[in-house]
């Protein structure tokens, strides 16, 4: 009897052409995407450990969000009267192609952070590339912010009870990590160009995802990771002109002037071991020299890499970074 021979694999098709991969997180083929990280879902809840409540809202067919309300806000049955809190509209990172506001990592982070900082968090769910190439994420993120701001004043329309009852619009902040910082920057620039209907008090930029053809020392921390970030951008934004596109390099000649940034304060957080460290530092330096009339601060986590606080949320540096951000939001 002949020995069993495994069948030969089918010939490769055009669909099997790999356009980009960053394993073990994502593999992008010519006509499909396989995500292995960041798409897990956890339900909104009342968190017993922190007392933070969360719930999901649909903003439009393309945009939704998870809201986080700390126990200190009051206003429930038997609670103290409703308290007004700073509002943090937050855009998650993930290279424009990974992550979710409903992911367990971000859910755990905001349960902890909302309790620490005593803020109302609006964690935005925007459409991901490459199925929805950049600038779709910018459009969705602007839509989410406009929805939040629609609750200010006496404007008509249906109101979300948490935002209407607890948001202090004199303390409205934008924030994000990595690609989310990039998004937050562009949303704040659009607010400066078009107006918003409310003043953005501050911007929290955590390990911002900016690039450029100019070399900076932190490029050499991990040459392979740096090259991967450049390749990633070209796949996420197929219409891009490259790493000096103002969407990924806000410091390039011809980019909109930073002095138009529509907020009064900016906090930039970087990691000493992050390949993007010096891009964040350059943003801080350029902002201060631009003629922008706000106040900028920078904080560096010693020895830590990109988005370390999500990977090691209990480490000393993550705890300190959260405290720095909390203090920034409450001044």
């Amino acid at each position: 009897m002949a020995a069993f021979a495994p069948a030969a694999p089918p010939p490769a098709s055009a669909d099997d052409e790999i356009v980009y991969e960053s394993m073990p997180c994502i593999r992008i083929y010519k006509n499909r995407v396989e995500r292995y990280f960041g798409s897990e879902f956890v339900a909104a809840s009342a968190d017993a450990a922190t007392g933070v409540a969360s719930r999901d809202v649909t903003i439009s067919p393309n945009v939704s969000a998870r809201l986080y309300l700390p126990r200190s806000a009051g206003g429930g049955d038997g609670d103290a009267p409703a308290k007004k809190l700073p509002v943090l509209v937050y855009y998650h990172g993930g290279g424009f192609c990974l992550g979710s506001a409903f992911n367990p990592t971000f859910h755990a982070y905001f349960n902890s952070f909302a309790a620490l900082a005593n803020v109302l968090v609006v964690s935005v769910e925007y459409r991901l590339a490459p199925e929805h190439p950049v600038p779709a994420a910018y459009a969705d993120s602007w839509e989410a912010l406009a929805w939040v701001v629609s609750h200010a004043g006496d404007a008509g329309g249906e109101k979300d009870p948490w935002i209407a009852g607890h948001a202090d619009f004199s303390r409205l902040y934008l924030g994000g990590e990595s690609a989310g910082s990039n998004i937050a920057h562009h949303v704040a620039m659009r607010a400066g160009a078009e107006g918003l209907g409310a003043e953005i008090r501050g911007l929290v930029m955590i390990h911002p995802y900016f690039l450029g053809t100019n070399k900076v020392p932190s490029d050499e921390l991990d040459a392979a990771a740096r090259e991967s970030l450049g390749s990633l951008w070209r796949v996420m934004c197929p219409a891009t002109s490259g790493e000096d596109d103002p969407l990924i390099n806000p410091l390039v000649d011809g980019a909109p002037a930073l002095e138009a940034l529509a907020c009064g304060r900016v906090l930039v957080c970087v990691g000493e071991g992050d390949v993007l460290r010096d891009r964040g530092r350059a943003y801080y330096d350029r902002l201060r020299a631009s003629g922008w009339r706000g106040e900028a601060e920078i904080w560096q986590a010693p020895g830590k890499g990109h988005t370390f606080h999500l990977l090691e949320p209990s480490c000393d540096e993550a705890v300190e970074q959260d405290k720095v951000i909390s203090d920034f939001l409450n001044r």
Side-chain angles (χ1 to χ4, degrees):
M1 185 175 178
F4 173 77
S13 69
D15 282 358
D16 293 319
E17 178 185 343
I18 296 175
V19 176
Y20 175 86
E21 65 178 350
S22 179
M23 299 303 288
C25 297
I26 189 169
R27 180 174 283 143
I28 300 173
Y29 296 86
K30 186 175 181 180
N31 291 311
R32 72 181 192 277
V33 179
E34 294 179 357
R35 293 180 173 88
Y36 315 111
F37 172 83
S39 299
E40 305 88 349
F41 175 86
V42 64
S45 62
D47 186 62
T50 62
V52 171
S54 57
R55 49 186 285 270
D56 298 337
V57 296
T58 299
I59 296 170
S60 75
N62 292 328
V63 187
S64 55
R66 179 161 290 179
L67 312 184
Y68 294 85
L69 187 68
R71 178 187 291 144
S72 62
D77 293 340
D79 288 339
K83 180 179 179 182
K84 297 290 188 178
L85 303 174
V87 187
L88 174 62
V89 179
Y90 191 90
Y91 307 115
H92 70 79
F96 300 101
C97 61
L98 290 169
S100 169
F102 312 127
N103 176 273
T105 297
F106 287 106
H107 184 70
Y109 177 75
F110 282 121
N111 277 330
S112 174
F113 183 78
L116 169 69
N118 198 32
V119 297
L120 170 60
V121 177
V122 181
S123 181
V124 177
E125 180 79 345
Y126 54 85
R127 290 173 294 170
L128 298 178
E131 297 95 330
H132 305 282
V134 176
Y138 301 141
D140 292 354
S141 298
W142 173 264
E143 186 176 2
L145 176 61
W147 175 80
V148 171
V149 169
S150 74
H151 291 75
D154 299 321
E158 186 176 350
K159 304 287 190 181
D160 180 87
W162 284 9
I163 297 178
H166 298 285
D168 179 353
F169 284 98
S170 70
R171 296 183 288 170
L172 173 63
Y173 292 88
L174 302 184
E177 96 286 342
S178 192
S181 282
N182 178 301
I183 292 170
H185 162 78
H186 286 293
V187 169
M189 291 296 291
R190 180 172 174 179
E194 300 181 11
L196 180 62
E199 181 179 344
I200 300 170
R201 186 164 181 175
L203 188 61
V204 178
M205 306 280 284
I206 306 171
H207 314 164
Y209 178 24
F210 296 135
L211 299 174
T213 56
N214 62 307
K215 299 299 182 184
V216 295
S218 62
D219 287 343
E220 305 304 320
L221 291 173
D222 188 333
R226 174 62 182 83
E227 174 58 30
S228 181
L229 288 169
S231 300
L232 175 68
W233 169 247
R234 290 186 286 273
V235 175
M236 297 305 103
C237 186
T240 188
S241 58
E243 291 190 11
D244 285 334
D245 185 330
L247 295 180
I248 198 67
N249 184 0
L251 311 185
V252 72
D253 290 345
L258 292 185
E259 64 185 281
L261 192 69
C263 62
R265 301 166 58 226
V266 171
L267 170 65
V268 180
C269 295
V270 298
E272 184 183 22
D274 184 1
V275 70
L276 295 179
R277 176 197 67 205
D278 292 335
R279 304 289 172 183
R281 285 192 163 277
Y283 180 86
Y284 164 80
D285 291 338
R286 182 71 64 84
L287 185 62
R288 293 189 65 198
S290 69
W292 174 69
R293 296 186 177 183
E295 299 178 3
E297 306 171 35
I298 190 165
W299 183 84
Q300 178 170 290
K304 291 298 183 179
H306 195 63
T307 65
F308 71 91
H309 59 293
L310 299 176
L311 305 173
E312 306 173 81
S314 299
C315 73
D316 291 345
E317 294 82 1
V319 171
E320 181 62 22
Q321 180 175 273
D322 285 348
K323 184 177 184 299
V324 167
I325 297 169
S326 173
D327 290 346
F328 178 81
L329 298 176
N330 284 284
R331 284 205 305 275

